[in-house]
Amino acid sequence: MSRLLLVTGGSAGIGAACCRLAPARGWERVVVHYGRDRDSAEAVAEDVRAQGAEAHVIGADVSDPAQVSELFAELTALAPGPLDLVNNAGIVAPTASLADLTPERVRRVFEVNVFGAIEVARQAVAYMRAHAGGGIVNVSSVAARLGSARQYMDYAASKGAIDTFTLGLADELASEGIRVNAVRPGLIETGIHAKGGEPDRLARIGHTPPLGRAGTAEEVAESILWLLSDRAGYVTRSILDVGGGR
Ligand code: NAD
């Protein structure tokens, strides 16, 4: 049974980098999950296939539990195997201070970044228990440590929740051999900044981390796939900063 790698939000940014790197790091089967952009997910899948691995494309809004169930129904129809999950799909909302953190905005950030990630993990673990185990890496953010005042405290708080969830889930699953870790990326070159209304964010502050530059999605993907690999077999309940010292 060959291992399956499921990457939520695999159509862009860090998720796409994980999918594209996976064959070179030993995964023969990759599920490229996407939210809305099927064409981009198909392009990522093609890049995976070009390296000789199997790739599948499945769409779902992670904030909708029914759609997450459909995602896992499709996944269960594939040949079974251990499942490694990159719990990556996430959003930021535009820069704002407390007065503009409306209930609707905060709810949406938490629906995707927290409720979605927990539901994906819940259904993934059910699959793992039925199909020879696996591992989980949750994608957090250095914002969880920094708080992101006057930027997006709701986003930072959502990632703080992911850090705490990672600790609890690691404790709960350790006796089953399922390792759970998180990475906290810093300022990374992806489209998320433009989607959050700040296309020039990295040009403005990309030089500020101690390493003097923004990171790449590929650098984050290397850390994620290492944590999921057997080479990190004694690593669980860890939260790894990939933030250039930030
Ligand atoms: P991105 O915008 O390039 O990719 C985000 C992915 O999540 C996309 O594939 C998108 O389709 C998917 N997604 C968003 N909402 C979804 C939903 N409701 N249902 C399903 N899929 C959904 O951003 P990225 O920078 O690659 O971000 C990936 C992860 O890394 C996120 O969790 C983000 O918070 C985290 N992160 C990014 C940075 C950074 O600087 N880029 C820093 C810290 C943490």
Side-chain angles (χ1 to χ4, degrees):
M1 284 196 297
S2 69
R3 302 184 80 84
L4 263 171
L5 182 72
L6 167 62
V7 182
T8 65
S11 58
I14 292 167
C18 288
C19 294
R20 290 190 168 107
L21 184 63
R25 294 295 171 269
W27 279 270
E28 291 163 4
R29 299 196 296 154
V30 179
V31 175
V32 184
H33 158 268
Y34 68 95
R36 290 193 184 142
D37 190 352
R38 184 172 184 103
D39 287 349
S40 295
E42 290 287 1
V44 172
E46 270 312 305
D47 290 345
V48 171
R49 291 181 195 119
Q51 299 175 68
E54 192 180 303
H56 304 272
V57 169
I58 306 179
D61 182 336
V62 295
S63 71
D64 178 351
Q67 291 190 37
V68 176
S69 293
E70 286 168 22
L71 158 64
F72 278 94
E74 278 194 54
L75 198 129
T76 302
L78 304 175
L83 176 68
D84 296 316
L85 168 65
V86 184
N87 210 357
N88 164 78
I91 55 170
V92 290
T95 296
S97 297
L98 178 65
D100 294 318
L101 298 188
T102 62
E104 298 73 27
R105 167 192 159 124
V106 176
R107 187 176 305 118
R108 185 60 189 160
V109 169
F110 272 71
E111 274 174 359
V112 176
N113 292 3
V114 183
F115 304 162
I118 291 175
E119 179 60 12
V120 168
R122 191 178 75 87
Q123 298 208 27
V125 169
Y127 179 96
M128 289 173 197
R129 284 177 169 149
H131 299 95
I136 298 174
V137 170
N138 294 320
V139 180
S140 173
S141 170
V142 296
R145 280 194 288 98
L146 301 176
S148 302
R150 291 174 293 280
Q151 292 179 70
Y152 25 64
M153 290 187 289
D154 48 358
Y155 171 80
S158 76
K159 294 303 188 177
I162 289 301
D163 284 1
T164 305
F165 175 59
T166 299
L167 302 179
L169 193 61
D171 286 343
E172 186 161 321
L173 299 179
S175 63
E176 298 175 56
I178 298 173
R179 297 184 297 103
V180 183
N181 295 289
V183 296
R184 281 196 291 231
L187 292 167
I188 308 301
E189 294 165 0
T190 73
I192 200 169
H193 311 287
K195 291 176 197 163
E198 267 209 282
D200 65 342
R201 184 157 189 257
L202 295 185
R204 197 165 44 77
I205 60 169
H207 65 283
T208 58
L211 283 184
R213 63 173 177 85
T216 66
E218 291 70 27
E219 287 172 313
V220 181
E222 284 284 9
S223 296
I224 291 171
L225 295 187
W226 174 74
L227 282 167
L228 287 172
S229 76
D230 291 344
R231 287 167 293 148
Y234 201 54
V235 183
T236 194
R237 206 180 192 276
S238 287
I239 301 177
L240 176 62
D241 285 349
V242 189
R246 187 160 174 256

